[in-house]
Amino acid sequence: MSDPRPGLSTAFFTDHYELTMLNAALRDGTADRPCVFEAFARRLPEGRRYGVVGGTGRLIEELERFRFSDDELRFLRDNQVVDADTIAWLERYTFSGDILGYREGELYFPESPILTVRASFAEGVILETLILSILNHDSAIASAAARMISAAQGRPCIEMGSRRTHEEAAVASARAAYLAGFTSTSNLEAGRRHGVPTAGTAAHAFTLLHDSELDAFRSQVDAFGPGTSLLVDTYDVMDGIRNAVAAAGPELGAIRLDSGDLGELAKEARELLDSLGATKTRIIVTSDLDEYAIASLLAAPVDGYGVGTSLVTGSGAPTAGMVYKIVERDGVPVAKKSSGKGSVGGQKTAVRRHSTTGKMTEEVAVIGGEPTPEERDLVLQVPYVQDGEFLPRASLNETRDYHAQQMKTLPREALKLLRGCPILDVDVQYAKGQPA
Amino acid sequence: MSDPRPGLSTAFFTDHYELTMLNAALRDGTADRPCVFEAFARRLPEGRRYGVVGGTGRLIEELERFRFSDDELRFLRDNQVVDADTIAWLERYTFSGDILGYREGELYFPESPILTVRASFAEGVILETLILSILNHDSAIASAAARMISAAQGRPCIEMGSRRTHEEAAVASARAAYLAGFTSTSNLEAGRRHGVPTAGTAAHAFTLLHDSELDAFRSQVDAFGPGTSLLVDTYDVMDGIRNAVAAAGPELGAIRLDSGDLGELAKEARELLDSLGATKTRIIVTSDLDEYAIASLLAAPVDGYGVGTSLVTGSGAPTAGMVYKIVERDGVPVAKKSSGKGSVGGQKTAVRRHSTTGKMTEEVAVIGGEPTPEERDLVLQVPYVQDGEFLPRASLNETRDYHAQQMKTLPREALKLLRGCPILDVDVQYAKGQPA
């Protein structure tokens, strides 16, 4: 679980303009004004009923490493990005404010205040890009993964999309998929860095390396025992299955189908496996699966799904569309009025209510004021950083369990794959005594 | 330009199954069989006329750091991914084969053999995931970027999508956009690591921090001079422009419009700026632009485009769909027959021919045999690694220039944004004297 980049500064995962804003604010004396920033999504991807917060744990860890070291400062100086006073400020910089937000794995809706940063303008503004990069990417993957898990109705899903996305995004995707319920990943770095269980057996190349398919299968069984999974579609699927059982015997763990009409093939494969006595051999299918393909295979005798491209590209929505906006300055709500992109000023406390059967019924984001005592347990935000101190965080497995519980609070209609509106409309309200 | 991760091993950006295949092949004695692997795309994203090879330079650098150190070996041992003999092999591993391929920035088509690895099965098979992750991601971004540059018809494009993708993918995206012709990026790490020019001035938060828009603009001009770019749409755009000229005078460098009907606003803004004497002030537009929006603004008085989300998500095609397949073993062409996913066996030498006016007319991938002397200059593949030795590489700026030249070889119809078929159909042929 060790991070192979422990000393690496994350401070340069930042847009140039954050430092120029800092520079100008330091010069004019506004840099220390206390501010509140919020990260939220104005809308969900087209047709989605809910979103899943992903990446918060990874983000908080990267924020702990957000420091400007000699190498970063040298670049800023050599390239005249900012002036000498700003460089001196960055050299001394550590975050001293508060960060609170939704738990990782939580469900969210348009306007849900997913992350709140309370800090001076200077300390808050420079975190924008890192916060958004991580939340936008990981939430997009977690949201797609949750729909796949839900479509699979209990059958295991294996993440295998590393080759279809940036090599580091692959690691984050494996982590996000796991928290949303995937059982394992093909990605070794996700195993090492995040403790996600890893899995994998063989590709077509292994069969093609050998003089015959049977040779290849015998070799694999020799190395990993009959419980391994054999990829049977390099030549003819049914011949492949016969070779697989010939090599491993009826104790063969699984076969994998990676092409063709998977539903029909799975039925034929099941019949053939049963006729050969391999009644417990599982059938794993892969090949451009998404949540719709997973759902369409529910009637087929499939025991597990391997999902690649569509998972790591967010199944049509590769980014979650979150933004990071200043909502208060000197205790006063502020908001831009830009056409179609306006925001609502004021720090928001989010409360979610449920029916007696445990299904979510409403989410309210209250501006100003403290939650009442009976509301306090319903508040969705938890503290991550207090006065610059990074608090203990949930483990990835705790996050995964929390997410699984939250999925049960969704009304049934939210779990259908049909396109629709977000299942909750966040109601932004002003607390009593606050100006509207 | 220093890489902040110089010592970091890239060996774990790898799928579990590559190591289990290695394990089984080491046990059965096939691991040393000489093989050829090729990376190629079976098709282009729907409607695209050409693809742009991105990431090769980054890939070769990461392959140089593909070593199994104690930390990786410990994980493999502790998690029983492979046996002790395999761990001993990995400990000694360095790549000793050949890698050749298309130049970075080159154009490609379905079946173009973009990267070729000649090595033992063992040495070649474990590189699959890293090769595909980098080529699939960076080529997707470079391909989208090239269409945007082409749509912009000479107006500068600025990359500003970091916040919409994974924090490391953001750095690679900025690099890929630059090689395809973008002038600069918002991403500081891309500036440091790859030497991409960085740019940026201010967000709406900077205006909202101040007591008035005019205060904010005066502060920015005070810090960066009148040549800066002022974001004028926080409240009312035309008032914003008046404030901008009041703060910077007619020497104001640029205004930025980030919302609303950009075409109409740009016209009104141009008239107002001119009437205020700011005739040389440029108008930069941003806000969910893609190649189509860029093209639709050609008639408007726009001087530059900032592109974010659609660039870093590949404008609808976030991954290039490349695969990495074994095509020869022991000098014999091999290919799988899987339904709809078959491949053509045999190492391919790619030759591209042009008309007398310099437009590409055909691409041939010849299996077996050497190119004739007159063909040798037309071969698209260049060596990257020879007998394990990593050869000197083109700089990013050389790659960018090479790409710009190649774009001129596309027939005019390929530069239209209309959906169509790939402009070249790669003709896979057998050399004379080779069995078909």
Side-chain angles (χ1 to χ4, degrees), chain A residues 42-72:
Chain A
R42 289 203 179 90
R43 60 194 76 84
L44 298 182
E46 185 66 28
R48 294 280 180 89
R49 317 299 304 265
Y50 63 91
V52 177
V53 176
T56 325
R58 211 164 71 72
L59 168 63
I60 300 296
E61 198 177 294
E62 296 218 4
L63 286 176
E64 259 190 302
R65 296 190 277 125
F66 196 94
R67 298 288 168 84
F68 291 83
S69 68
D70 289 348
D71 200 58
E72 284 84 35

Side-chain angles (χ1 to χ4, degrees), chain A residues 51-55 108 114 134-144 176 320 322:
Chain A
V52 177
V53 176
Y108 74 89
I114 289 159
I134 295 181
L135 292 181
N136 271 325
H137 177 267
D138 291 18
S139 298
I141 308 305
S143 299
M322 288 183 207

Side-chain angles (χ1 to χ4, degrees), chain A residues 161-173:
Chain A
S162 294
R163 64 194 53 197
R164 302 287 186 236
T165 187
H166 182 281
E167 69 276 22
E168 276 285 353
V171 183
S173 294

Side-chain angles (χ1 to χ4, degrees), chain A residues 2 4-5 8-9 11-21 23-25 27-28 30-31 33 35 37 58 62 71-72 75-76 81-82 121 125 128-130 132-134 136-138 160 162-172 185-189 191-193 198-206 208-211 215 219-220 222-224 233-235 256 258-260 287 309 313 318-319 321-323 325-326 329 334-339 341, chain B residues 2 4-5 8-9 11-21 23-25 27-28 30-31 33 35 37 58 62 71-72 75-76 81-82 121 125 128-130 132-134 136-138 160 162-172 185-189 191-193 198-206 208-211 215 219-220 222-224 233-235 256 258-260 287 309 313 318-319 321-323 325-326 329 334-339 341:
Chain A
S2 63
R5 310 178 300 171
L8 184 70
S9 165
F12 258 32
F13 295 134
T14 292
D15 284 326
H16 188 116
Y17 81 171
E18 285 151 43
L19 300 192
T20 48
M21 285 190 274
N23 188 149
R27 266 177 85 99
D28 76 11
T30 56
R33 289 188 172 186
C35 291
F37 296 83
R58 211 164 71 72
E62 296 218 4
D71 200 58
E72 284 84 35
F75 178 88
L76 297 176
V81 174
V82 291
F121 178 77
V125 76
E128 177 177 27
T129 307
L130 185 61
L132 290 179
S133 290
I134 295 181
N136 271 325
H137 177 267
D138 291 18
M160 39 175 66
S162 294
R163 64 194 53 197
R164 302 287 186 236
T165 187
H166 182 281
E167 69 276 22
E168 276 285 353
V171 183
T185 178
S186 61
N187 188 286
L188 288 171
E189 185 66 19
R192 169 168 65 172
R193 201 184 297 174
T198 66
T201 50
H204 300 100
F206 188 74
L208 294 170
L209 167 69
H210 288 83
D211 299 331
D215 279 2
S219 164
Q220 193 179 319
D222 182 53
F224 299 105
D233 73 334
T234 304
Y235 306 111
R256 176 157 78 94
D258 182 49
S259 55
S287 190
T309 307
T313 58
T319 184
M322 288 183 207
V323 294
K325 296 295 168 193
I326 187 170
R329 175 250 299 156
V334 293
K336 66 172 176 167
K337 299 191 175 107
S338 317
S339 168
K341 292 166 117 182
Chain B
S2 62
R5 310 177 300 169
L8 184 71
S9 165
F12 259 31
F13 294 134
T14 292
D15 284 326
H16 187 117
Y17 80 172
E18 285 151 41
L19 300 192
T20 48
M21 285 190 273
N23 189 150
R27 266 178 84 102
D28 76 12
T30 56
R33 290 189 171 185
C35 291
F37 297 84
R58 210 164 71 72
E62 295 215 5
D71 200 58
E72 284 84 36
F75 177 89
L76 298 176
V81 174
V82 291
F121 177 77
V125 75
E128 177 177 29
T129 306
L130 185 61
L132 290 179
S133 289
I134 294 182
N136 271 325
H137 177 268
D138 291 17
M160 39 175 66
S162 295
R163 63 194 54 196
R164 303 287 186 236
T165 187
H166 182 282
E167 68 276 21
E168 277 286 353
V171 183
T185 178
S186 63
N187 189 287
L188 288 171
E189 185 66 19
R192 169 168 64 173
R193 201 184 296 174
T198 67
T201 50
H204 299 99
F206 189 73
L208 293 170
L209 167 69
H210 288 82
D211 299 331
D215 279 3
S219 164
Q220 194 179 319
D222 182 53
F224 298 105
D233 73 333
T234 304
Y235 305 112
R256 176 157 77 94
D258 183 48
S259 54
S287 189
T309 307
T313 57
T319 185
M322 288 183 206
V323 295
K325 296 294 168 195
I326 188 171
R329 175 250 301 155
V334 293
K336 66 172 177 167
K337 300 192 174 105
S338 316
S339 169
K341 292 165 114 181

Side-chain angles (χ1 to χ4, degrees), chain A residues 49-50 150-151 359 407 410-417:
Chain A
R49 317 299 304 265
Y50 63 91
S150 165
K359 299 295 181 186
M407 287 298 287
L410 278 172
R412 259 173 70 106
E413 63 264 34
L415 297 174
K416 292 183 185 159
L417 294 180

Side-chain angles (χ1 to χ4, degrees), chain B residues 197-432:
Chain B
T198 67
T201 50
H204 299 99
F206 189 73
T207 297
L208 293 170
L209 167 69
H210 288 82
D211 299 331
S212 75
E213 188 177 57
L214 188 57
D215 279 3
F217 289 174
R218 283 190 172 134
S219 164
Q220 194 179 319
V221 171
D222 182 53
F224 298 105
T228 191
S229 173
L230 294 169
L231 175 59
V232 295
D233 73 333
T234 304
Y235 305 112
D236 176 84
V237 173
M238 298 303 142
D239 289 345
I241 291 174
R242 285 186 201 96
N243 283 330
V245 177
E251 303 303 305
L252 173 62
I255 60 163
R256 176 157 77 94
L257 302 172
D258 183 48
S259 54
D261 179 338
L262 296 172
E264 274 309 303
L265 275 180
K267 272 182 222 161
E268 292 174 37
R270 183 74 271 158
E271 282 171 23
L272 180 54
L273 284 168
D274 289 349
S275 77
L276 296 169
T279 54
K280 293 192 174 155
T281 300
R282 286 168 299 121
I283 299 174
I284 310 296
V285 297
T286 56
S287 189
D288 284 336
L289 298 180
D290 61 10
E291 60 269 43
Y292 301 99
I294 289 171
S296 77
L297 288 166
L298 274 180
V302 165
D303 301 287
Y305 303 95
V307 189
T309 307
S310 109
L311 178 76
V312 299
T313 57
S315 197
T319 185
M322 288 183 206
V323 295
Y324 179 78
K325 296 294 168 195
I326 188 171
V327 294
E328 273 189 37
R329 175 250 301 155
D330 286 330
V332 180
V334 293
K336 66 172 177 167
K337 300 192 174 105
S338 316
S339 169
K341 292 165 114 181
S343 47
V344 182
Q347 183 184 338
K348 293 158 204 82
T349 300
V351 167
R352 190 177 290 162
R353 294 199 179 82
H354 299 81
S355 69
T356 51
T357 59
K359 300 294 180 186
M360 55 174 71
T361 53
E362 65 170 348
E363 183 169 327
V364 181
V366 184
I367 298 172
E370 289 293 309
T372 61
E374 62 268 27
E375 276 176 350
R376 205 159 291 151
D377 287 347
L378 308 176
V379 170
L380 292 166
Q381 293 128 314
V382 296
Y384 288 108
V385 182
Q386 273 181 339
D387 296 327
E389 187 196 343
F390 284 73
L391 304 176
R393 293 187 277 280
S395 71
L396 183 57
N397 277 317
E398 287 164 350
T399 294
R400 189 169 189 262
D401 292 344
Y402 182 78
H403 170 73
Q405 285 167 27
Q406 292 311 305
M407 288 297 287
K408 294 181 189 149
T409 70
L410 278 172
R412 259 173 70 104
E413 63 265 34
L415 297 174
K416 291 184 186 158
L417 294 180
L418 291 176
R419 284 164 172 270
C421 296
I423 205 82
L424 286 192
D425 236 2
V426 178
D427 188 10
V428 181
Q429 298 177 350
Y430 291 86
K432 280 169 195 158

